Amino acid sequence: MSALRLAVLVAACLSFASAGTRQLKLDVQPPATLATALADYRLSEHINPVSYNITLRPYLLVKDTKRFTFDGEVWIEVIPKQATSEVHLHSKNLTYSVSQYWAKPAAGVANPAPSNFQALNVTNSDTDIVVLTTAAALTANQSYILHFVYTGLMQDDMHGFYRSSYVDDNNETKWLGSTQFQTNHARRAFPSFDEPQFKATFNVTLKRHYTFNTVSNTRQLGSYPSTESGYYEDVYETTPKMSTYILAFIISEFTARKDEQFGVLARPEYYSQTQYSYNVGRKILEEIGKYVDLDYYTLGNDKMDMAAIPDFSAGAMENWGLLTYRERSLLVDESATTLASRQSIAAVVAHEQAHMWFGDLVTCQWWSYTWLNEGFARYFQYFGTAFVEDEWELEKQFVVDQIQSVMSMDSTNATNPLSDENTYTPSDLSRMFNSISYNKGATFIRMIEHLMGPEDFRKSLQEYLKQYSYQSAMPEYLLKFWQQNWNESRHKASSEEIFNSFTTQVGYPLVTANMAADGKSVSFSQKRFLLKANDGANASIQYTIPITYSNNLNNNFVNTTPKFILNPSRTTTVLFNDSLTWIIANVQQTGYYRVNYTEANWRAIRTALFATNWTGIHEINRAQVVDDLFNLARASYLHYGLALEVLEYLETEVNYIPWTSAFNGFNYLAIRLGNDTASFGGYIQDLTSKAYQKLGFNETSTDSALDIYLRTKVLSWACRYGSADCIRQAKSYFNSLTTVPKNIRATVYCVGLREGGSAEFEALYQKFKTETVATEETLLQNSFGCVKGDALITRVFNLVLSDEIRLQDKSSVLATLYTENNENVSPVFALVTKEYEALATAMGGYSAVATVISNIANRFTEQKQYEDLQTFNKDHSSKFGSSAATLTAAEVTVWENLEWSKDKLPIFRSYLAVRGGSAMASAFSAFTILMVALATLLR
């Protein structure tokens, strides 16, 4: 292999020298000036709400002439902070018949005659704010009652107070009403101060037909016959003081599995699937309460329900006392639900329950600080679940699922800081619910825990929650309690700098550990890691970084206490008494940074990884090494030849965590290769051979959860990239669909369709049509995209256009159609661009279609595909409104990807050719690599 290594090294160096020198010349116009000033999107703070008393009457019956609308009446108690003649409220799609106010009288005194607002001004369609004018100024610090009677719409877009449906066992369509108010949709159910800082109490009354039942955040006080024949009024206890977005109610025919405090609700046919979430939900709620030293049932709401909703836009929602979920995110069938889905369900339950403290009890003051809610919920999604399900090794999964996945987004100009003050418009709000707030937020929190130590960290959270209960919070409030419990010996002096580095700045650092030639010193320096050299991102940002490391002399991958703090614009040199062979920084990837080393250090790491038991290098750090190598090479910080050499150690790897990092890295290369994957397939089969032989298709009683997950990944990749044995066994299982072991079904279904035809698709489609397990239904429909051939591709596309695939699932089903087989990219793009108007109707708007086109274009590998995208954008982008920017950005991405491929893929292809060839081929390919590299440089 010496000729290969020399050739790859020289070629990579030449490509490295030429990388980053070309810039795309594209006429990208700046966005149009907003008609509404950004500050106008925020509600005035001169009036505070105290309480809402809401009565709603939905129309869901076939006989209702006002079907899929609702009547509403609300009394809002408010207190002006200053004398004012204006009341500013949020309202959307509501039509008012009564709009009045009066001063709240003392207890026992009759209400005064109401005064009408001067005019119900037209709501600003950008901000949803309506300004109401009073005849005389309201007095500061005096309580007033605002009274409104109105009607609203129960739409099917899964926002506000909306309608959903399912077909029961008698083939009858059943309708229900449910809610999704986060972030800014409570205003579609009642006029409100619809920002998280405006906390109040809520009294809810729901009027229903006798065939329905209702549920809300709190316990039902009673159900009383209505003056309307056949109707009842269900009255609920007062909620704790909380934000509008976590109010919720459901009108349905659901049944519940419950005790005196805890319940799980679902359509009656799914009752048997509620047992697991009922069991695990009670335990997790109790354990998180113990951890934060605040029992949930003492917080002002003494019940907890979780409900499975057929149509639900989010994965789940943290309404205080009434958590709502997609059915597949809550329901478990013991015979059909995979272990991965079971884990996902437990994790989502933990996430939503963690919000009872982080989000509901203490709420981010504004969506600029969404991470205060979602970062902690994502953290407990893993570490809270682990309180109960302790055999899943979730602390390891966190690294590859959360840290490594967010690093890609956070290394481009498209990222945003954790605390983003530039948050005003609805699109800004949507942006804040991205992987930065979730993944990076949780990653940052985990980093602080390892900095502070677990007990001091826990104590600080307990104090923070108690101090700000029923209030809103800002990041500096959290920092204060962290600092109060931060031990001086654990780098407390740098606590504020660390906090600000990773919350107010974008991105993350690349730490370079430069080992001296004699191995007796290592110098640490930093720069911002950027995946692309010329995308406009600020490369000069520096961070305050807690540094941990292990080495061959002190092989300790357990101690995650930082050795020192690396400050901005400083190089820190650590001296050693004896010579090191290798050093690995960022123990168990507890810090949020990548690491690069000298070439000698990388080669020593490679040697260590090939030794027995990988020389004791922790599997998380093996995963870190793999992930860093792929990304350092991709971004030209490291030549591909060296990266590929070190990655050869994967031939010995049999653990899930490193292999997950590897498959994520290989996925990018596989996309860039397009249809040219023959040599790549052999390469993947070679690398996975040991893991494939160890795991096979058959599950054993000694398999750990991570063994089961790795089997799924290895089989998927082996079958996809041509393993004859894998394909043979998968097809054999497919021939008996009713007996496929649940944890390998994803692979078996996909191989059956990929290697089969219309008969195989019809068999799977019929199974989907009669499926009654939500998780299995999801697995089946997400396998449809494994088909090949224009006829079946068109059939799956038409399914997406139809009502057979729910709105919430359309994007994921469509995505599998161009992600499971590279050769499907062009035909799917052709279908989407031909039927883009029908797709916009099916998916709820042109924004969704623009996202689909962008995602497909990200997989383009040919100049003609780029030109087809340009032609479509030129002819049709005007119909996409503001989403046209997504289409323009897709052109930039395609151009960048094509240029990257010209620079990098020749080296990778030559490496694959040499690895799979003879000695003669090796010599020839070595020469070829040199020629390719010279051509690249000259180009």
Side-chain angles (χ1 to χ4, degrees):
M1 293 288 285
S2 58
L4 168 63
R5 287 176 179 167
L6 176 62
V8 171
L9 174 60
V10 174
C13 289
L14 290 173
S15 287
F16 182 87
S18 67
T21 58
R22 292 182 297 279
Q23 294 186 2
L24 172 62
K25 293 181 179 179
L26 186 66
D27 183 21
V28 180
Q29 298 297 323
T33 303
L34 290 172
T36 302
L38 292 177
D40 291 341
Y41 282 88
R42 296 297 306 277
L43 202 60
S44 171
E45 298 179 1
H46 69 289
I47 295 178
N48 280 331
V50 176
S51 66
Y52 296 79
N53 193 322
I54 304 168
T55 297
L56 295 173
R57 193 275 196 214
Y59 294 87
L60 291 168
L61 301 178
V62 174
K63 66 179 182 181
D64 290 333
T65 56
K66 297 168 62 176
R67 198 178 191 198
F68 303 141
T69 67
F70 63 89
D71 296 335
E73 186 169 17
V74 62
W75 295 262
I76 311 173
E77 181 181 349
V78 300
I79 300 178
K81 296 162 66 174
Q82 62 193 48
T84 181
S85 298
E86 291 186 346
V87 176
H88 296 204
L89 287 168
H90 286 114
S91 177
K92 187 177 180 68
N93 298 339
L94 301 178
T95 303
Y96 293 88
S97 57
V98 174
S99 173
Q100 55 191 201
Y101 66 97
W102 59 84
K104 182 181 179 181
V109 178
N111 287 334
S115 300
N116 292 324
F117 286 105
Q118 293 292 85
L120 186 59
N121 294 358
V122 175
T123 301
N124 183 307
S125 60
D126 287 338
T127 67
D128 299 334
I129 294 174
V130 60
V131 178
L132 306 174
T133 305
T134 60
L138 305 181
T139 304
N141 302 317
Q142 161 74 47
S143 291
Y144 290 86
I145 304 297
L146 315 181
H147 177 224
F148 304 96
V149 179
Y150 58 95
T151 60
L153 305 176
M154 298 186 73
Q155 296 174 310
D156 60 358
D157 60 355
M158 298 176 286
H159 289 129
F161 184 25
Y162 69 93
R163 69 182 188 265
S164 175
S165 67
Y166 59 92
V167 177
D168 68 8
D169 285 347
N170 297 318
N171 204 32
E172 180 181 350
T173 299
K174 297 289 187 177
W175 289 94
L176 63 130
S178 187
T179 58
Q180 174 60 30
F181 290 160
Q182 193 181 55
T183 54
N184 58 338
H185 302 299
R187 63 195 66 175
R188 292 168 61 163
F190 56 98
S192 52
F193 297 79
D194 198 13
E195 291 186 7
Q197 66 173 326
F198 292 110
K199 293 194 170 190
T201 60
F202 297 82
N203 293 278
V204 173
T205 298
L206 300 172
K207 186 181 291 187
R208 61 172 175 87
H209 190 258
Y210 73 91
T211 56
F212 291 104
N213 57 66
T214 69
V215 63
S216 188
N217 301 76
T218 54
R219 289 185 184 272
Q220 190 179 112
L221 280 172
S223 184
Y224 310 99
S226 171
T227 54
E228 185 177 1
S229 177
Y231 280 78
Y232 287 82
E233 295 184 7
D234 296 343
V235 181
Y236 288 87
E237 291 183 357
T238 304
T239 69
K241 187 178 179 182
M242 66 186 201
S243 305
T244 50
Y245 76 90
I246 52 175
L247 186 68
F249 30 85
I250 301 169
I251 294 91
S252 70
E253 296 179 45
F254 285 175
T255 57
R257 181 189 301 276
K258 65 187 308 173
D259 58 22
E260 286 300 309
Q261 293 180 311
F262 194 95
V264 179
L265 294 79
R267 52 171 113 169
E269 295 84 356
Y270 286 1
Y271 177 83
S272 63
Q273 299 177 44
T274 60
Q275 185 68 63
Y276 176 71
S277 54
Y278 173 76
N279 292 343
V280 80
R282 288 180 300 166
K283 294 174 184 176
I284 292 174
L285 191 66
E286 179 182 3
E287 292 301 321
I288 297 178
K290 290 178 181 177
Y291 180 87
V292 298
D293 195 32
L294 283 171
D295 180 85
Y296 167 77
Y297 296 107
T298 66
L299 302 180
N301 188 0
D302 64 350
K303 72 93 175 174
M304 169 62 76
D305 287 321
M306 306 194 301
I309 311 298
D311 298 284
F312 195 73
S313 59
M317 180 61 206
E318 65 266 23
N319 315 299
W320 196 333
L322 178 53
L323 309 181
T324 44
Y325 300 78
R326 290 192 185 186
E327 290 178 326
R328 69 167 183 247
S329 297
L330 190 65
L331 304 176
V332 170
D333 180 276
E334 295 298 334
S335 65
T337 301
T338 65
L339 181 61
S341 293
R342 188 186 188 95
Q343 177 186 303
S344 176
I345 287 166
V348 173
V349 167
H351 180 109
E352 302 311 324
Q353 291 187 342
H355 272 308
M356 300 303 98
W357 295 270
F358 299 95
D360 293 8
L361 182 66
V362 180
T363 310
C364 62
Q365 188 264 348
W366 175 238
W367 302 116
S368 294
Y369 319 115
T370 298
W371 72 273
L372 291 178
N373 293 11
E374 299 300 344
F376 277 105
R378 182 59 58 87
Y379 174 86
F380 282 103
Q381 178 174 324
Y382 285 77
F383 300 99
T385 304
F387 292 151
V388 176
E389 298 285 11
D390 57 4
E391 296 182 353
W392 292 343
E393 300 181 84
L394 288 162
E395 74 285 353
K396 297 176 183 176
Q397 293 189 53
F398 180 91
V399 174
V400 291
D401 292 352
Q402 302 302 314
I403 303 175
Q404 294 181 1
S405 64
V406 75
M407 280 182 152
S408 179
M409 174 187 176
D410 206 20
S411 58
T412 70
N413 198 34
T415 190
N416 59 272
L418 275 175
S419 298
D420 191 350
E421 303 297 337
N422 187 29
T423 304
Y424 298 96
T425 68
S427 61
D428 291 338
L429 271 55
S430 297
R431 183 195 69 236
M432 293 308 294
F433 286 79
N434 62 11
S435 58
I436 298 299
S437 294
Y438 287 74
N439 304 38
K440 184 176 180 178
T443 296
F444 174 67
I445 290 163
R446 174 178 176 264
M447 182 171 76
I448 296 297
E449 182 200 8
H450 283 273
L451 260 167
M452 293 180 64
E455 290 308 314
D456 289 339
F457 174 78
R458 178 182 181 182
K459 186 170 182 286
S460 69
L461 297 189
Q462 293 173 350
E463 294 176 359
Y464 164 75
L465 290 172
K466 289 170 183 173
Q467 177 66 38
Y468 294 107
S469 292
Y470 314 106
Q471 301 176 56
S472 57
M474 299 176 71
E476 53 264 36
Y477 301 174
L478 175 63
L479 174 61
K480 179 180 73 173
F481 282 98
W482 276 348
Q483 289 178 318
Q484 286 179 6
N485 293 277
W486 203 309
N487 193 294
E488 295 285 351
S489 66
R490 299 181 74 103
H491 310 288
K492 178 180 179 179
S494 300
S495 58
E496 185 170 357
E497 290 77 12
I498 294 169
F499 187 92
N500 291 332
S501 280
F502 290 96
T503 62
T504 65
Q505 297 187 138
V506 295
Y508 58 90
L510 167 63
V511 172
T512 298
N514 195 338
M515 185 188 297
D518 63 4
K520 289 194 172 184
S521 67
V522 179
S523 297
F524 293 84
S525 59
Q526 65 161 298
K527 63 168 65 174
R528 183 182 175 192
F529 179 85
L530 290 173
L531 206 52
K532 304 173 185 177
N534 300 309
D535 74 346
N538 182 357
S540 65
I541 296 174
Q542 298 262 301
Y543 307 83
T544 304
I545 314 165
I547 300 294
T548 58
Y549 58 79
S550 183
N551 56 61
N552 60 291
L553 297 179
N554 180 25
N555 196 328
N556 184 345
F557 286 94
V558 176
N559 182 8
T560 60
T561 303
K563 299 279 203 281
F564 66 92
I565 301 298
L566 181 61
N567 290 304
S569 304
R570 296 283 296 275
T571 296
T572 298
T573 300
V574 181
L575 304 178
F576 299 90
N577 294 327
D578 298 309
S579 295
L580 303 182
T581 303
W582 55 262
I583 189 169
I584 292 178
N586 204 1
V587 174
Q588 293 189 43
Q589 209 163 351
T590 50
Y592 187 53
Y593 56 92
R594 294 196 187 280
V595 191
N596 198 3
Y597 307 98
T598 62
E599 181 171 340
N601 199 143
W602 277 119
R603 293 194 182 282
I605 290 172
R606 180 185 188 276
T607 300
L609 289 173
F610 267 105
T612 303
N613 195 35
W614 307 281
T615 317
I617 297 173
H618 197 285
E619 62 188 292
I620 290 178
N621 282 101
R622 302 203 300 275
Q624 173 214 4
V625 163
V626 169
D627 187 60
D628 282 350
L629 280 168
F630 273 114
N631 286 280
L632 290 169
R634 177 179 169 184
S636 297
Y637 292 99
L638 185 75
H639 56 80
Y640 253 109
L642 180 57
L644 292 168
E645 280 190 54
V646 181
L647 289 169
E648 288 169 357
Y649 110 87
L650 289 167
E651 297 169 356
T652 73
E653 187 60 76
V654 291
N655 287 279
Y656 171 81
I657 302 300
W659 264 117
T660 297
S661 299
F663 287 136
N664 290 339
F666 283 129
N667 188 57
Y668 179 78
L669 291 172
I671 292 170
R672 299 278 66 84
L673 287 168
N675 298 338
D676 180 20
T677 58
S679 297
F680 180 71
Y683 173 58
I684 290 296
Q685 290 178 56
D686 286 347
L687 290 184
T688 59
S689 176
K690 185 172 182 179
Y692 181 83
Q693 294 301 325
K694 175 189 174 185
L695 297 168
F697 274 77
N698 298 319
E699 199 169 303
T700 70
S701 60
T702 60
D703 281 346
S704 68
L706 298 191
D707 288 334
I708 292 170
Y709 300 158
L710 180 58
R711 175 180 292 108
T712 300
K713 286 183 180 292
V714 168
L715 293 182
S716 174
W717 278 74
C719 284
R720 180 171 183 171
Y721 290 104
S723 167
D725 181 71
C726 183
I727 293 170
R728 177 185 58 78
Q729 292 198 61
K731 289 172 69 175
S732 176
Y733 277 110
F734 190 89
N735 290 333
S736 182
L737 276 178
T738 58
T739 60
V740 181
K742 61 185 180 183
N743 289 317
I744 61 169
R745 286 180 185 175
T747 297
V748 170
Y749 293 164
C750 194
V751 172
L753 296 188
R754 184 184 291 127
E755 302 295 326
S758 57
E760 286 76 12
F761 178 82
E762 191 62 33
L764 212 64
Y765 173 70
Q766 290 304 323
K767 189 175 191 305
F768 166 75
K769 292 295 291 180
T770 58
E771 187 54 62
T772 58
V773 176
T775 53
E776 178 70 3
E777 181 181 51
T778 299
L779 184 59
L780 287 163
Q781 66 184 14
N782 285 341
S783 299
F784 291 161
C786 295
V787 298
K788 289 183 178 181
D790 289 347
L792 287 175
I793 291 172
T794 301
R795 183 168 179 188
V796 175
F797 182 79
N798 288 335
L799 276 177
V800 173
L801 295 182
S802 75
D803 291 336
E804 288 191 70
I805 305 296
R806 292 184 184 271
L807 176 59
Q808 68 199 24
D809 300 320
K810 289 182 186 295
S811 61
S812 61
V813 174
L814 182 56
T816 63
L817 202 52
Y818 56 84
T819 59
E820 289 297 336
N821 298 304
N822 286 358
E823 56 265 51
N824 287 4
V825 169
S826 287
V828 173
F829 179 74
L831 274 173
V832 168
T833 51
K834 178 184 177 183
E835 303 290 346
Y836 73 96
E837 291 174 315
L839 191 60
T841 301
M843 298 188 70
Y846 283 95
S847 174
V849 179
T851 299
V852 169
I853 291 173
S854 176
N855 291 341
I856 297 173
N858 193 43
R859 308 178 81 86
F860 283 176
T861 58
E862 301 169 3
Q863 181 67 23
K864 184 182 183 305
Q865 294 172 322
Y866 177 42
E867 293 168 358
D868 289 344
L869 174 64
Q870 290 179 308
T871 300
F872 176 83
N873 288 352
K874 180 181 178 181
D875 293 343
H876 304 293
S877 63
S878 60
K879 293 188 177 181
F880 284 75
S882 61
S883 297
T886 303
L887 301 178
T888 303
E891 288 187 36
V892 178
T893 299
V894 174
W895 187 90
E896 290 173 342
N897 286 338
L898 292 177
E899 289 299 305
W900 185 94
S901 296
K902 290 175 185 176
D903 283 338
K904 298 293 196 299
L905 280 189
I907 302 168
F908 186 52
R909 285 195 174 105
S910 296
Y911 172 86
L912 295 178
V914 174
R915 182 183 170 92
S918 64
M920 180 68 73
S922 296
F924 175 77
S925 294
F927 176 76
T928 302
I929 292 172
L930 295 177
M931 294 301 98
V932 167
L934 288 170
T936 299
L937 182 60
L938 290 172
R939 186 172 59 80

